[in-house]
């Protein structure tokens, strides 16, 4: 059509690192996340992490292997994870891929040695999200409305709507009304009900 699509942020989201509820892991740095999931270790880890002992688990966990799970490589979540968590590195070949996040969460719930990445909008009492720190020595942070909006959680992201809107033409009235709804209080409440995080008031004003 001779122009770029119009990009409108509509919600905030986060990709979480999930483990089985019985896993006592307290947190991970992004370098450790890269060394667990990444084949190329672009964040600089000297070792390839393949066992739970390498991330500090002791006693019954000592020597036990890490079982890797992730999203289908065709998913946007997988693309985001490779770009941000692995710094455009490659995923390990032994990651067991799931076509959808719900199935991945179910598998992690059944595997005590599992770890996987998926969107945050999945509540389960059988798995839990691991707090992350950008670098060693920094505090571990869980994905939350506050940490995602403040961009202190390392794997926060925006979600978008895209519209075929030429910059020199008027909006279609129906599309314009829909975009107004998305940015309204009611629209952002719908975002929250879908287990995503509403936009900040600053972003709504910018939209």
């Amino acid at each position: 059509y001779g122009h770029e699509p119009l990009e409108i942020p509509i919600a905030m989201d986060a990709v979480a690192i999930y483990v089985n509820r019985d896993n006592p892991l307290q947190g991970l740095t992004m370098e450790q996340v890269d060394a667990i999931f990444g084949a190329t270790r672009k964040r600089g880890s000297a070792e390839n992490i393949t066992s739970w002992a390498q991330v500090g688990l002791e006693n019954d966990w000592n020597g036990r292997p890490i079982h890797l799970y992730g999203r289908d490589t065709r998913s946007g979540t997988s693309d985001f994870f490779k770009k941000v968590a692995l710094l455009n590195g490659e995923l390990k070949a032994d990651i067991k891929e799931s076509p959808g996040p719900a199935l991945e969460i179910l598998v992690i719930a059944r595997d005590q040695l599992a770890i996987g990445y998926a969107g945050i909008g999945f509540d389960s009492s059988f798995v839990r999200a691991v707090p992350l720190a950008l670098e060693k020595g920094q505090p571990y942070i869980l994905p939350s409305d506050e940490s995602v909006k403040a961009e202190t959680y390392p794997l926060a992201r925006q979600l978008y709507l895209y519209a075929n809107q030429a910059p020199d033409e008027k909006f279609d009235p129906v599309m314009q009304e829909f975009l107004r709804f998305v940015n309204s209080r009611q629209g952002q409440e719908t975002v929250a009900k879908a287990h995503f995080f509403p936009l900040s008031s600053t972003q709504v004003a910018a939209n």
Side-chain angles (χ1 to χ4, degrees):
Y1 294 96
H3 59 85
E4 294 296 318
L6 177 67
E7 181 181 78
I8 302 288
I10 61 166
M12 298 295 297
D13 185 28
V15 171
I17 305 298
Y18 290 100
V19 294
N20 186 277
R21 68 175 179 181
D22 296 328
N23 191 315
L25 184 66
Q26 296 299 304
L28 291 170
T29 66
M30 292 304 296
E31 182 179 302
Q32 288 174 317
V33 170
D34 183 32
I36 291 170
F37 290 95
T40 43
R41 303 203 300 275
K42 289 195 172 185
R43 287 186 178 270
S45 176
E47 62 175 354
N48 176 30
I49 297 178
T50 60
S51 73
W52 288 109
Q54 289 176 278
V55 289
L57 299 195
E58 301 174 343
N59 301 322
D60 292 342
W61 294 83
N62 191 22
R64 303 185 77 182
I66 293 174
H67 295 170
L68 298 175
Y69 297 90
R71 291 297 314 280
D72 189 299
T73 52
R74 294 171 296 180
S75 77
T77 298
S78 179
D79 288 341
F80 172 83
F81 189 75
K82 288 173 64 177
K83 179 179 179 180
V84 178
L86 309 187
L87 299 181
N88 289 314
E90 294 300 319
L91 291 162
K92 290 181 178 177
D94 58 341
I95 295 175
K96 296 179 177 65
E97 298 178 358
S98 296
L103 179 60
E104 181 186 349
I105 295 301
L106 180 62
V107 173
I108 294 171
R110 293 174 174 173
D111 183 354
Q112 193 179 52
L113 303 180
I115 188 169
Y117 65 90
I120 195 60
F122 294 89
D123 295 327
S124 171
S125 59
F126 299 102
V127 301
R128 65 182 184 86
V130 178
L132 301 179
L134 186 60
E135 295 180 357
K136 186 177 180 180
Q138 295 184 357
Y140 294 125
I141 297 173
L142 278 168
S144 67
D145 186 26
E146 293 77 16
S147 66
V148 168
K149 286 181 180 177
E151 298 182 352
T152 55
Y153 179 70
L155 294 179
R157 62 177 176 176
Q158 287 186 322
L159 300 179
Y160 301 91
L161 284 175
Y162 291 90
N164 183 4
Q165 174 63 39
D168 57 347
E169 295 180 3
K170 290 185 177 181
F171 270 91
D172 175 271
V174 176
M175 181 171 70
Q176 186 174 31
E177 187 59 32
F178 175 69
L179 292 176
R180 283 176 174 164
F181 164 75
V182 169
N183 286 278
S184 70
R185 179 182 294 275
Q186 185 181 3
Q188 289 298 296
E189 287 174 352
T190 303
V191 163
K193 289 177 182 177
H195 300 288
F196 296 107
F197 302 116
L199 296 172
S200 67
S201 57
T202 302
Q203 184 63 66
V204 169
N207 286 351

